[in-house]
Amino acid sequence: MELTKYGFISDPIKMTKAYSNIPKEYLYYESFLKKKEGFISSINFLFKDMSDMTLNTLKNVEDVETMQHIYSILTFLVTRYIWSSDEYTTAQEKNSEGSEQKFTPHHHLPKYLGWLWHYYAQKLNIKLAVNHFAVDMCNYILIDIDKPITIENIQIVRGALMYDEELYQSEQWFYKVHVYFELMAGKSIHNVLNIHSLLQSYSTSRKEIFTIDLTNELIQLRESIVVTRSIIKSMYIGCNTNVFFNTIRIYLSGSNKLEEGGIWIYNGDEYVKEIYVGGSAG
């Protein structure tokens, strides 16, 4: 990812504008995330008879920010497909009855769902992964691009739990805090790089200037650390811990957590078994 004054991502204003350029087909797919009942059968039907013309349209997206948003949508569809079923209930619901949580993951993705996900991962030169790149850093817009970056000015676009308003509120906050953290903490990387550069170029003839520059960088670094610590602590404000542990955490798991150790994806020629990696919380 590009390292800019905003952190590890490209200009968030560009990301905001890119979302409006996503092909209508993908916005249509996104609506499936809001469904719970019949999700698996609906997705199977949706991707069963995709025409070559539709596929060619979807393949011709070249704008990087738009591709990132598309990859995010596909990642959510894939994880929902793998960890959902028509009879799916959350861990919270099952645990309230005193029974152990059970999942029946789907290991065989619909032909073109898996293929498009794999295709965009290759286009973006990233591993198949359910990570913060996919679920939050390519999944937000600024509400007002003319206002400063604050947690109130960040809007999460989608989530795996959109079918349930209460669960989705916690999921949105979980992603929002991580976006805000990355946007603000990225500045500290620049401070560290600047400090390293100053130390490498130190000379006794510039001792006074060196001291002033180093002090300024250290002050800014300290301020970034203080801010990011407060951002992390804000997680408890809007993310229910039970929802995170019993539901959100499940969706962040990768196929390396599954008993079969992988999922079958169509790569354009044949079905191959792929390992995709889950988030650290998985």
Side-chain angles (χ1 to χ4, degrees):
M1 299 296 290
E2 179 185 354
L3 184 65
T4 72
K5 63 180 179 179
Y6 295 102
F8 294 99
I9 65 169
S10 55
D11 191 326
I13 295 177
K14 290 183 180 179
M15 294 288 285
T16 300
K17 293 179 179 178
Y19 184 71
S20 63
N21 296 326
I22 293 180
K24 292 181 179 179
E25 291 89 345
Y26 277 103
L27 295 178
Y28 176 66
Y29 297 161
E30 193 170 75
S31 68
F32 278 76
L33 291 171
K34 299 178 182 178
K35 300 180 180 180
K36 180 178 180 181
E37 301 300 328
F39 177 82
I40 299 300
S41 57
S42 297
I43 291 295
N44 278 327
F45 176 78
L46 176 66
F47 285 94
K48 182 178 180 181
D49 298 314
M50 290 184 69
S51 67
D52 291 338
M53 183 178 297
T54 302
L55 285 174
N56 287 332
T57 299
L58 303 179
K59 284 170 56 181
N60 288 333
V61 177
E62 296 295 335
D63 177 69
V64 174
E65 281 83 9
T66 303
M67 285 195 290
Q68 289 172 350
H69 275 300
I70 292 172
Y71 177 74
S72 175
I73 296 171
L74 292 169
T75 299
F76 277 113
L77 289 175
V78 167
T79 51
R80 273 287 300 281
Y81 188 90
I82 291 171
W83 292 106
S84 299
S85 71
D86 291 345
E87 298 79 30
Y88 176 77
T89 56
T90 68
Q92 276 187 296
E93 292 169 338
K94 291 200 172 186
N95 286 341
S96 67
E97 300 171 2
S99 58
E100 184 181 351
Q101 172 62 34
K102 298 291 183 182
F103 288 101
T104 306
H106 296 261
H107 296 272
H108 200 281
L109 292 177
K111 183 175 183 180
Y112 290 127
L113 171 59
W115 180 80
L116 285 170
W117 189 47
H118 187 267
Y119 172 81
Y120 275 101
Q122 290 183 317
K123 289 274 284 187
L124 293 169
N125 194 29
I126 56 178
K127 299 288 186 181
L128 289 177
V130 183
N131 56 17
H132 288 296
F133 173 78
V135 302
D136 48 46
M137 302 315 289
C138 297
N139 184 30
Y140 80 96
I141 59 174
L142 295 180
I143 298 172
D144 188 337
I145 61 176
D146 295 321
K147 289 185 177 180
I149 297 174
T150 62
I151 198 164
E152 292 79 15
N153 196 24
I154 295 170
Q155 178 181 329
I156 299 302
V157 179
R158 66 190 73 85
L161 308 175
M162 294 178 74
Y163 60 82
D164 186 300
E165 184 176 349
E166 184 177 352
L167 297 178
Y168 186 46
Q169 285 180 353
S170 286
E171 184 186 22
Q172 280 182 302
W173 189 262
F174 179 76
Y175 298 150
K176 185 180 289 192
V177 169
H178 282 89
V179 169
Y180 189 38
F181 179 90
E182 293 285 353
L183 292 175
M184 302 308 292
K187 298 176 182 179
S188 64
I189 302 298
H190 293 281
N191 295 131
V192 172
L193 293 175
N194 290 341
I195 290 170
H196 180 266
S197 178
L198 285 169
L199 294 173
Q200 291 291 102
S201 61
Y202 173 76
S203 67
T204 54
S205 62
R206 299 183 68 253
K207 184 176 180 179
E208 185 176 345
I209 297 176
F210 168 83
T211 303
I212 294 173
D213 290 344
L214 180 61
T215 301
N216 287 334
E217 293 293 342
L218 289 171
I219 290 173
Q220 291 179 39
L221 179 59
R222 181 186 181 281
E223 290 174 348
S224 292
I225 293 173
V226 171
V227 169
T228 50
R229 283 185 63 189
S230 66
I231 293 172
I232 293 173
K233 290 180 179 179
S234 71
M235 183 66 76
Y236 295 94
I237 297 174
C239 182
N240 184 296
T241 53
N242 289 328
V243 173
F244 167 76
F245 185 81
N246 292 312
T247 310
I248 298 173
R249 185 179 62 91
I250 305 302
Y251 283 113
L252 291 179
S253 296
S255 66
N256 53 312
K257 310 294 195 305
L258 305 182
E259 290 183 6
E260 294 185 14
I263 52 174
W264 291 94
I265 295 179
Y266 181 69
N267 67 3
D269 298 312
E270 60 181 344
Y271 279 95
V272 295
K273 197 171 188 178
E274 292 273 5
I275 300 294
Y276 79 95
V277 181
S280 59

